[in-house]
Amino acid sequence: MSRIVTVAAAQLGPIQKAETREQVVARMLALMDEAKAKGADLIVYPELALTTFFPRWYHEDRAEADAWFEAAMPNPAVQPLFDRARAHGMGMSFGYAELTPEGRHFNSSILVDKSGTIVGKYRKIHLPGHVEYDPTRAHQHLEKRYFEPGDLGFPVWRTMGGLMGMCICNDRRWPETYRVMGLQGVEMIVLGFNTPSVNGHKAKEGMAQRLFHHRLSVQAGAYQNSCWVVAVAKAGSEDGHHLMGGTLIVNPDGEIVAELEGEADGVIVHACDLDDTRFGKQTIFDFKMHRRIEHYGPITGQVGVVEPE
Ligand code: CDV
C-alpha cells in the first residue's frame, strides 16, 4: 500500500523590514504555482512567513511591535493564499505572529486542508532568546519579549490522508517535541524556521556548524519517531542580518531526501509515502513494546539539571 502526500517545502528568501504583507504574499503565491506545476498537494512555508524576522528589533514600547502581528487569520492580506490553495486543491501551512482578541501574542502556525479550511493551529512552545535588550549579544533575539509560550501542546491532526503535526523553529532542537507527536502516531511534521547564521553568543559558531545542528536535530527527530519531517527556512540577509538556509525534507529513516540550495525563494518537492512510517513504528520504535516510562519521570518532573550529590 502507499499513501502519498506530495509536499512542497517553499523557502522564502529575505524579507526586508519595509516589505508589506501584500508583497510577501505575491512571492508566496508564485511559489505555490511552482509547487502546483511540480505536482504538490501540500505546501509548507517558513516561521513568521509574512514579515521580516522582527524579534531581532527592540521596541522599548512593547505595543509598537503589534504592527508585526495578525489580529485575524485569514485576513484580507493573506486571503489570496487561501483562495489560490483551494483552487489548486492544495493543503498549506505557514507561520505568523498571532494577536488574539484577548490581546495575547503567540508565534503560531496553521495547517489548512485542501478545501481552504484551517484544521490545525500550533503555538511555538520553545521560545529562544531574551526579554530585555542585551548589549552583549551580536544581535538581539527578543522572542521572549514579544511572545508568550504556546498553550496548545503539540497536537496531531488527521487530515489530508495522514496524521500531521507542526512545530516551529527552535522546537526542532528538542526531542520532546517529536516524541509527544510520535506518541500520537504522527506521520509528517511540518515546521518553519528563521535561524541566524551566526550564534549571537559565540561568533566562531558559523553557518556550517549551524546547518549541521539543524540537520542533526531534524534527522534524529524523524528517525526516532519514524515520521517525515519537512523543515522550511527563511534565508538570506534581512536588513543586514543573515539567516541560514537549509530547507529540507527528511524521511522516516532519518535520511535527507531533498534539500534546497541557496538562500532565495525556492521550492523542493518530494512524494512522501506515509506508509513508509509503518516499518519503524512497528519495529525498533514500537513505543508500546519498548518504552520504559517508569524511568522517564525527570523528563516531565523537572526543568533544569539536578546533579547527583
Ligand atoms: N527562530 C528561532 O527559533 N531561532 C532559533 C535560534 C535563535 C537558535 C533556532 O533554534 O533556530
Side-chain angles (χ1 to χ4, degrees), residues 214-274:
H214 157 63
R215 294 189 189 105
L216 182 69
S217 303
V218 171
Q219 291 181 253
Y223 168 64
Q224 292 169 349
N225 296 277
S226 197
C227 62
W228 292 90
V229 181
V230 181
V232 185
K234 177 133 65 63
S237 180
E238 295 191 328
D239 296 291
H241 295 268
H242 193 259
L243 299 167
M244 70 178 205
T247 293
L248 46 79
I249 301 173
V250 178
N251 72 16
D253 281 316
E255 297 160 329
I256 296 172
V257 294
E259 185 162 6
L260 192 66
E261 294 290 324
E263 297 170 353
D265 291 6
V267 168
I268 45 171
V269 174
H270 188 81
C272 305
D273 187 347
L274 300 185

Side-chain angles (χ1 to χ4, degrees), residues 47 53 124 128 141 143 169-170 172-173 194-195 210:
E47 173 189 34
F53 187 71
K124 185 174 182 179
H141 196 104
E143 288 196 58
C169 196
N170 190 258
R172 76 196 188 287
R173 302 185 193 275
N194 286 258
T195 299
R210 304 282 268 178

